[in-house]
Amino acid sequence: MTTTQLLQKLTDIVGAPYVITDPSKTEPYRQGYRFGEGKALAVVRPGTILEQWKILQACVEADVIVITQAANTGLTGGSTPDGNDYDRDIVIVNTMRMNIVQPINNNEQVVCLPGSTLNQLEVLLKPLGREPHSVLGSSCIGASVLGGVCNNSGGALVQRGPAYTEMALFAQINEQGELELVNHLGIDLGDTPEEILTNLQGHHYQKKDITVDAGKGHDHTYCQHVRQVDEPSAARFNADPSRHYEASGCAGKLMVFAVRVDTFPLEEKTAVFYIGTNDTAELNGIRRHILTNFQNLPILGEYLHRGAFDVAAKYGKDTFWIIKKFGTHRLPALFDFKAKVERFSKKVTFLPKHFTDKALQFIAGCLPEHLPASLYDFRDRYEHHLILKMGGAGVEEARAFLKDYFVDKTGSYFECNPEEAQAALLHRFAVGGASVRYRAVHTEDVEDIVALDVALRRNDHDWFEKLPSEIDDQIGMKVYCGHFLCYVFHHDYLVKKGRDCVALEHEMLELLEKRGAQYPAEHNVGHLYEAKPALKSFYRKLDPTNSFNPGIGKTSKKKYWA
C-alpha cells in the first residue's frame, strides 16, 4: 500500500477532519509534554474503538509504525516519536475522542475506553462513594486511565500500588505479522472483532456476561509488599517483572482498546498531619514504625524538602489558586489552552521565549498570599517536611503515635485544620510544575532540568541524597519531593548554564546504581531511560515485529528488532 493509498484509507475510516498531516498541526501530538519529538506521516483520531481497529488493520497492511497515544502527558516522551531515525513511516493514533467509562459490578469496577481520564473517572465516581487509583497528581493534567495501566504508573496513594490490571482488550501482531484481537476483559462480547468492539462501545452486554473473577483489577499484594521495610529491594519500580501482565506495563507495545480496573471506597473520616524535622533519621523512624506497626496504612505520606517548598511557594502559586478556586477538573483544559498559546507565541517574533510561563508568573506575583502561616513557620524551622494523611481508625493511631514519638525528638508536628490540610496537599502537588516554571523564567541561569524518578531500597536508612562536590557544583538548585512511605522520590536538578546535562545525568545514574536504587520508579522508561533486560524481554514478547512504539527504553527502532 502506498502512502497516498494509506492516507486515503484512513480518511475513509474516520473522515477528513480526523486525519492530520500538516506538520504545524501535528506538532502537539508529535512533541512530548516534557521530552521527545519526531516526524510522523499522520495523526489519526478515531471516534470509536471499531474505527481504531480498522486504522490498525490499514497500518499493518501498509507496514508502518503505530504509536498509540492518549493525553500525551508522560514525562519521559513515551507516547511520541523520538528523533527521525526510524526505518518506517509513523502513524500516531490519538485516542482522546473515545472517553467512555462504564461502571460495573456495583461500581466496584469500571471498564475504561482509551480516551477516559483519571480526572473524568474521579468526577464520575465521587457521587457513588468511590474513587480511582490516582486522585492527585498526573490525573490533574488530564492523564488517561489506560496510560497509567500501560506504564504501571505509581501515585501518591500508599494503599494502591502501581496501576495494574489483568483484564484488558487489546490487539497485537504475532511473529508472522498477523494482527490478532485478544479479549481478556472477562466480558462475553461476541466472537468477531467487529462484534466485540461494537458491543463494548455501546455497552451491549449484561451482568450475566461478566465473569466476576476474571483477574485482578489492581495490585492486591502491594499493601503487604510496602510494609517489608527490611527488604533490600524497592517497593515499586517500572522494571519489576511481577507487575508486567499483557497491557499492564506494555508501554504501547500493544494497542489497548479497554481495561477493566478496580475502584476504591471513598474515605469519609480523614485527618492530615504536618511533620517537620532537621534530622532525616526521625522521618525514617516514622516510616518504619507506621509500616510495621500500624493496623491501618496511611492514605498518603508525601515528602517535601525546604528547597521544594520555596520553589513551589513562588512558582506554583497560580496552579495552587486555580485548583483551589476552580477544582482539578478544570486543569486539563487550561493546560491545553496554555499549550496552544505557547505554540502561537513561538510564531510571533517579538514575544519572548516561554511567553506563557513568564506571563503566568507575572500574574502569580499579583495574587494574594496562599499558604497558611503554620506552613511557613515549619518551613523556617525545619528542612524536611512530611504530609501524612490518615483515614478511618488510622486517624487515632496516628494521633497517639505522633504525640508519643515527638516527646524526645528535635522535630515537631501539628494536626491540620481543613484549610491547612488543603493547602499542604495542593502545595505538594504544585512542586512538579514549579520546577518547569522556574526553568522557563530563568533561562539565562538554567541550562535545563535533569529530572530523576527514583525508588530506593526499602531497607535504606540513608535516604536523603548527598552529592559529591564535583556534581553538586554544577547544580543551581535541587528540588526534592516524593512518596515517602513507598520510598519513591522525584529529584529535579536545575543545572547551571553551560553545563552538560546529559553527562551530568549519566554520573547521577551511576551513583544510583551503586546505591542499589531503581529508576524510573513510576514514570516509565519512555525514550529517556534504558530499559532493563527483563523489561526489554517483555516488550519483545508482546511485539515480536517491533511495530508498536519502537525505540521505547532505548531499544531498536528497526523492524523485527534488527
Side-chain angles (χ1 to χ4, degrees):
M1 189 187 299
T2 66
T3 298
T4 303
Q5 289 173 325
L6 173 60
L7 292 175
Q8 184 57 55
K9 194 160 190 175
L10 296 176
T11 302
D12 292 341
I13 294 168
V14 300
Y18 300 111
V19 179
I20 311 168
T21 57
D22 183 343
S24 66
K25 295 179 180 178
T26 60
E27 183 181 359
Y29 307 93
R30 296 184 293 103
Q31 191 173 68
Y33 177 73
R34 194 168 177 176
F35 176 86
E37 183 178 10
K39 294 180 181 178
L41 176 66
V43 174
V44 191
R45 303 186 65 229
T48 69
I49 51 176
L50 181 57
E51 288 182 354
Q52 186 181 352
W53 167 256
K54 290 179 179 179
I55 290 165
L56 181 56
Q57 286 180 309
C59 290
V60 171
E61 186 181 349
D63 193 26
V64 298
I65 288 167
V66 177
I67 297 177
T68 311
Q69 173 194 93
N72 192 19
T73 59
L75 300 182
T76 57
S79 57
T80 62
D82 181 56
N84 300 309
D85 54 343
Y86 296 83
D87 62 347
R88 292 151 287 169
D89 284 330
I90 296 172
V91 172
I92 298 172
V93 181
N94 182 277
T95 63
M96 292 305 290
R97 292 177 64 210
M98 301 173 290
N99 59 344
I100 293 175
V101 177
Q102 300 169 353
I104 60 173
N105 296 340
N106 299 317
N107 305 316
E108 293 180 3
Q109 291 184 322
V110 287
V111 176
C112 296
L113 268 59
S116 57
T117 67
L118 283 163
N119 191 264
Q120 172 194 356
L121 184 54
E122 182 183 359
V123 172
L124 174 72
L125 292 175
K126 193 170 184 178
L128 306 175
R130 311 286 295 183
E131 63 182 10
H133 173 267
S134 180
V135 295
L136 187 64
S138 60
S139 58
C140 296
I141 57 174
S144 69
V145 177
L146 269 69
V149 170
C150 292
N151 291 292
N152 284 143
S153 298
L157 303 180
V158 180
Q159 302 164 21
R160 310 285 165 83
Y164 177 83
T165 187
E166 296 171 358
M167 297 170 286
L169 173 65
F170 59 89
Q172 63 183 148
I173 302 172
N174 62 28
E175 291 185 10
Q176 290 72 44
E178 300 165 338
L179 184 61
E180 302 173 342
L181 184 69
V182 180
N183 180 11
H184 286 169
L185 277 177
I187 304 175
D188 185 359
L189 295 164
D191 300 315
T192 68
E194 289 74 16
E195 287 177 333
I196 292 169
L197 296 166
T198 301
N199 288 334
L200 179 60
Q201 178 94 29
H203 203 160
H204 299 151
Y205 58 91
Q206 301 175 32
K207 188 175 181 179
K208 65 180 179 62
D209 299 318
I210 302 171
T211 302
V212 175
D213 57 348
K216 294 175 181 176
H218 78 279
D219 184 355
H220 290 258
T221 65
Y222 189 73
C223 284
Q224 289 305 315
H225 185 73
V226 73
R227 288 182 180 272
Q228 310 307 310
V229 296
D230 291 315
E231 290 297 314
S233 60
R236 54 179 167 95
F237 57 100
N238 288 129
D240 186 351
S242 67
R243 298 187 179 97
H244 298 158
Y245 189 93
E246 297 178 343
S248 295
C250 74
K253 301 303 287 182
L254 301 170
M255 178 174 276
V256 185
F257 296 91
V259 294
R260 176 177 161 187
V261 295
D262 293 341
T263 68
F264 303 86
L266 193 62
E267 195 70 67
E268 294 182 4
K269 179 187 177 184
T270 63
V272 173
F273 302 89
Y274 200 92
I275 300 164
T277 183
N278 292 313
D279 185 351
T280 58
E282 291 183 0
L283 286 192
N284 199 33
I286 292 172
R287 170 183 167 269
R288 292 179 64 87
H289 181 91
I290 287 175
L291 292 178
T292 56
N293 294 290
F294 273 28
Q295 292 293 315
N296 303 274
L297 276 177
I299 295 171
L300 57 79
E302 291 295 286
Y303 170 72
L304 194 66
H305 184 255
R306 180 186 280 154
F309 187 108
D310 291 345
V311 170
K314 183 172 182 179
Y315 297 94
K317 192 176 182 181
D318 52 319
T319 300
F320 181 104
W321 275 117
I322 288 169
I323 299 176
K324 184 171 182 177
K325 293 298 183 182
F326 302 108
T328 57
H329 64 284
R330 299 292 181 94
L331 274 186
L334 291 172
F335 273 104
D336 184 54
F337 177 72
K338 175 180 178 289
K340 289 178 180 176
V341 173
E342 184 63 30
R343 286 193 295 273
F344 173 78
S345 70
K346 289 179 181 178
K347 301 173 184 177
V348 182
T349 55
F350 63 83
L351 290 177
K353 190 178 180 181
H354 304 299
F355 167 74
T356 53
D357 277 300
K358 290 176 179 177
L360 286 170
Q361 190 57 35
F362 175 80
I363 294 170
C366 302
L367 295 173
E369 182 53 62
H370 60 304
L371 296 178
S374 54
L375 267 62
Y376 276 119
D377 175 55
F378 265 51
R379 179 261 170 230
D380 293 339
R381 292 164 58 191
Y382 303 116
E383 181 181 2
H384 306 284
H385 301 214
L386 178 66
I387 305 165
L388 182 68
K389 184 176 183 180
M390 303 296 302
V395 172
E396 290 303 325
E397 272 191 298
R399 282 175 181 155
F401 164 67
L402 292 173
K403 182 179 180 180
D404 180 65
Y405 185 78
F406 280 106
V407 167
D408 58 350
K409 299 294 189 295
T410 62
S412 184
Y413 78 99
F414 63 90
E415 184 172 341
C416 298
N417 61 36
E419 181 186 359
E420 291 168 330
Q422 182 190 38
L425 293 171
L426 289 183
H427 188 53
R428 163 62 185 91
F429 168 72
V431 172
S435 297
V436 177
R437 172 70 59 76
Y438 185 96
R439 176 185 62 181
V441 174
H442 297 280
T443 52
E444 70 282 359
D445 299 319
V446 178
E447 182 66 31
D448 206 345
I449 298 175
V450 171
L452 298 183
D453 171 29
V454 181
L456 299 183
R457 293 176 290 114
R458 284 170 284 173
N459 67 343
D460 193 341
H461 290 267
D462 297 323
W463 56 271
F464 188 68
E465 182 177 69
K466 299 177 183 65
L467 293 173
S469 58
E470 60 270 21
I471 291 179
D472 200 45
D473 290 345
Q474 301 181 60
I475 300 168
M477 183 182 298
K478 297 186 285 286
V479 181
Y480 294 137
C481 62
H483 315 308
F484 188 68
L485 298 179
C486 300
Y487 251 15
V488 168
F489 295 90
H490 302 301
H491 294 173
D492 281 357
Y493 306 94
L494 294 144
V495 182
K496 292 178 181 178
K497 198 71 175 178
R499 305 304 170 98
D500 187 338
C501 293
V502 174
L504 185 63
E505 181 177 0
H506 288 162
E507 291 181 62
M508 290 179 168
L509 294 180
E510 288 180 14
L511 293 176
L512 293 175
E513 292 279 359
K514 292 176 182 178
R515 293 185 65 184
Q518 294 283 350
Y519 57 86
E522 58 182 9
H523 294 158
N524 217 342
V525 289
H527 291 287
L528 195 57
Y529 297 94
E530 182 173 350
K532 300 289 176 66
L535 191 55
K536 289 180 182 178
S537 177
F538 178 59
Y539 292 159
R540 292 189 68 147
K541 180 181 177 182
L542 294 179
D543 183 21
T545 67
N546 203 22
S547 298
F548 292 113
N549 209 9
I552 203 77
K554 299 189 181 296
T555 57
S556 171
K557 294 180 179 178
K558 310 297 182 183
K559 192 170 184 180
Y560 284 105
W561 302 85

PDB file of all heavy atoms in Angstrom, residues 202 234 250 268 294 303 408 412 417 555:
ATOM      1  N   GLY A 202     -20.932   0.233  22.756  1.00  0.00           N
ATOM      2  CA  GLY A 202     -22.323   0.570  23.038  1.00  0.00           C
ATOM      3  C   GLY A 202     -22.860   0.015  24.340  1.00  0.00           C
ATOM      4  O   GLY A 202     -24.052   0.169  24.635  1.00  0.00           O
ATOM      5  N   ALA A 234      13.452  -2.302  46.064  1.00  0.00           N
ATOM      6  CA  ALA A 234      12.481  -1.209  46.006  1.00  0.00           C
ATOM      7  C   ALA A 234      11.055  -1.744  46.109  1.00  0.00           C
ATOM      8  O   ALA A 234      10.771  -2.865  45.697  1.00  0.00           O
ATOM      9  CB  ALA A 234      12.656  -0.427  44.709  1.00  0.00           C
ATOM     10  N   CYS A 250       2.872  -2.407  29.376  1.00  0.00           N
ATOM     11  CA  CYS A 250       3.250  -2.673  27.984  1.00  0.00           C
ATOM     12  C   CYS A 250       3.883  -1.476  27.290  1.00  0.00           C
ATOM     13  O   CYS A 250       4.522  -1.634  26.254  1.00  0.00           O
ATOM     14  CB  CYS A 250       2.036  -3.153  27.190  1.00  0.00           C
ATOM     15  SG  CYS A 250       0.821  -1.849  26.796  1.00  0.00           S
ATOM     16  N   GLU A 268     -14.342   8.551  54.345  1.00  0.00           N
ATOM     17  CA  GLU A 268     -15.142   9.675  54.851  1.00  0.00           C
ATOM     18  C   GLU A 268     -14.421  10.435  55.962  1.00  0.00           C
ATOM     19  O   GLU A 268     -14.374  11.662  55.974  1.00  0.00           O
ATOM     20  CB  GLU A 268     -16.499   9.172  55.336  1.00  0.00           C
ATOM     21  CG  GLU A 268     -17.377   8.620  54.201  1.00  0.00           C
ATOM     22  CD  GLU A 268     -18.734   8.169  54.686  1.00  0.00           C
ATOM     23  OE1 GLU A 268     -19.030   8.351  55.893  1.00  0.00           O
ATOM     24  OE2 GLU A 268     -19.512   7.643  53.871  1.00  0.00           O
ATOM     25  N   PHE A 294       1.379  -0.059  62.395  1.00  0.00           N
ATOM     26  CA  PHE A 294       0.002   0.442  62.255  1.00  0.00           C
ATOM     27  C   PHE A 294      -0.905  -0.645  61.676  1.00  0.00           C
ATOM     28  O   PHE A 294      -0.526  -1.361  60.748  1.00  0.00           O
ATOM     29  CB  PHE A 294      -0.030   1.658  61.322  1.00  0.00           C
ATOM     30  CG  PHE A 294       0.218   2.970  62.019  1.00  0.00           C
ATOM     31  CD1 PHE A 294       0.989   3.042  63.172  1.00  0.00           C
ATOM     32  CD2 PHE A 294      -0.317   4.143  61.513  1.00  0.00           C
ATOM     33  CE1 PHE A 294       1.226   4.256  63.799  1.00  0.00           C
ATOM     34  CE2 PHE A 294      -0.093   5.366  62.130  1.00  0.00           C
ATOM     35  CZ  PHE A 294       0.682   5.424  63.283  1.00  0.00           C
ATOM     36  N   TYR A 303       6.626  13.555  51.012  1.00  0.00           N
ATOM     37  CA  TYR A 303       7.824  14.256  51.480  1.00  0.00           C
ATOM     38  C   TYR A 303       8.033  15.539  50.683  1.00  0.00           C
ATOM     39  O   TYR A 303       7.786  15.606  49.475  1.00  0.00           O
ATOM     40  CB  TYR A 303       9.052  13.374  51.334  1.00  0.00           C
ATOM     41  CG  TYR A 303      10.342  14.127  51.569  1.00  0.00           C
ATOM     42  CD1 TYR A 303      10.705  14.526  52.863  1.00  0.00           C
ATOM     43  CD2 TYR A 303      11.175  14.477  50.520  1.00  0.00           C
ATOM     44  CE1 TYR A 303      11.870  15.245  53.088  1.00  0.00           C
ATOM     45  CE2 TYR A 303      12.340  15.185  50.727  1.00  0.00           C
ATOM     46  CZ  TYR A 303      12.678  15.571  52.021  1.00  0.00           C
ATOM     47  OH  TYR A 303      13.827  16.295  52.239  1.00  0.00           O
ATOM     48  N   ASP A 408      10.713  13.174  72.672  1.00  0.00           N
ATOM     49  CA  ASP A 408      12.162  13.324  72.823  1.00  0.00           C
ATOM     50  C   ASP A 408      12.868  13.518  71.488  1.00  0.00           C
ATOM     51  O   ASP A 408      14.024  13.164  71.308  1.00  0.00           O
ATOM     52  CB  ASP A 408      12.744  12.107  73.540  1.00  0.00           C
ATOM     53  CG  ASP A 408      12.451  10.802  72.792  1.00  0.00           C
ATOM     54  OD1 ASP A 408      11.648  10.833  71.825  1.00  0.00           O
ATOM     55  OD2 ASP A 408      13.022   9.766  73.164  1.00  0.00           O
ATOM     56  N   SER A 412       8.840  18.281  65.087  1.00  0.00           N
ATOM     57  CA  SER A 412       7.522  18.561  65.664  1.00  0.00           C
ATOM     58  C   SER A 412       6.455  18.268  64.611  1.00  0.00           C
ATOM     59  O   SER A 412       6.771  17.906  63.473  1.00  0.00           O
ATOM     60  CB  SER A 412       7.461  20.020  66.112  1.00  0.00           C
ATOM     61  OG  SER A 412       6.228  20.290  66.749  1.00  0.00           O
ATOM     62  N   ASN A 417      -5.988  21.849  60.312  1.00  0.00           N
ATOM     63  CA  ASN A 417      -7.410  22.128  60.139  1.00  0.00           C
ATOM     64  C   ASN A 417      -7.723  21.987  58.648  1.00  0.00           C
ATOM     65  O   ASN A 417      -6.804  21.807  57.826  1.00  0.00           O
ATOM     66  CB  ASN A 417      -7.762  23.520  60.679  1.00  0.00           C
ATOM     67  CG  ASN A 417      -7.030  24.641  59.976  1.00  0.00           C
ATOM     68  OD1 ASN A 417      -6.783  24.584  58.772  1.00  0.00           O
ATOM     69  ND2 ASN A 417      -6.661  25.692  60.725  1.00  0.00           N
ATOM     70  N   THR A 555      15.545   0.926  22.969  1.00  0.00           N
ATOM     71  CA  THR A 555      15.665  -0.326  22.225  1.00  0.00           C
ATOM     72  C   THR A 555      15.727  -0.025  20.733  1.00  0.00           C
ATOM     73  O   THR A 555      15.676   1.129  20.311  1.00  0.00           O
ATOM     74  CB  THR A 555      14.469  -1.245  22.533  1.00  0.00           C
ATOM     75  OG1 THR A 555      13.248  -0.546  22.210  1.00  0.00           O
ATOM     76  CG2 THR A 555      14.447  -1.645  24.000  1.00  0.00           C
TER      77      THR A 555
END
